Amino acid sequence: MSGKPQTEGIIDTHVSPSSSLQPAPPLVTRNENGREGIVVSNQPQLADLIKEEYSSHVPPVTVVPDPPPVTPLHLLPPEPTWIDCPYCKKQAMTKITTEGSSMQMAMGLVLCLFCICLACAPCMCGCFENTHIHCSNCNTRVATIPHDGPIQVAPIVNGQQQLSAYR
């Protein structure tokens, strides 16, 4: 054997710190209350590294909102709602207008026999008015709700008929 001493299986892992490998001084921050705090690590978090690495590879996701639910024409209420217009073939909000009926005038005449001041009461309180429902996009009347009956859906004219959903 040679004259050098051998130490088998022992590895010196202690590295003396050099001046270039000094640890960074801890960062001191202040919170909303003015108290000091120490940032433990200024290294980026794993989630930030993953986000940074994959952000250039993943296309941005655009969220498309769901379209508002539409009401079938035969179930339209007397207030604005979304419909699929059969005339302009677009989704649109309804526009509501009211119109006095002949019954409203007749009731005004009957009330006039009792007192002249009551003649305008049916018009002022909105009694016996027909409600017309229009598409706000093309201004076509799509339905009418008469004061004394069920809703009447306007017929589609000029060859603008739709294919039946029940084939």
Side-chain angles (χ1 to χ4, degrees), residues 59-141:
V61 176
T62 55
V63 177
V64 178
D66 290 335
V70 295
T71 305
L73 296 181
H74 66 283
L75 297 176
L76 286 173
E79 56 264 348
T81 185
W82 288 96
I83 62 165
D84 284 331
C85 180
Y87 297 99
C88 64
K89 308 285 190 222
K90 293 183 180 175
Q91 192 174 43
M93 181 67 81
T94 57
K95 194 168 54 172
I96 308 298
T97 58
T98 57
E99 176 183 57
S101 65
S102 58
M103 185 65 172
Q104 190 178 43
M105 295 301 160
M107 196 58 141
L109 286 174
V110 169
L111 290 174
C112 180
L113 296 175
F114 295 108
C115 177
I116 191 78
C117 296
L118 294 176
C120 61
C123 296
M124 290 177 64
C125 70
C127 297
F128 307 110
E129 287 185 336
N130 296 330
T131 304
H132 300 292
I133 303 171
H134 301 267
C135 170
S136 62
N137 192 30
C138 63
N139 288 328
T140 306
R141 185 178 355 180

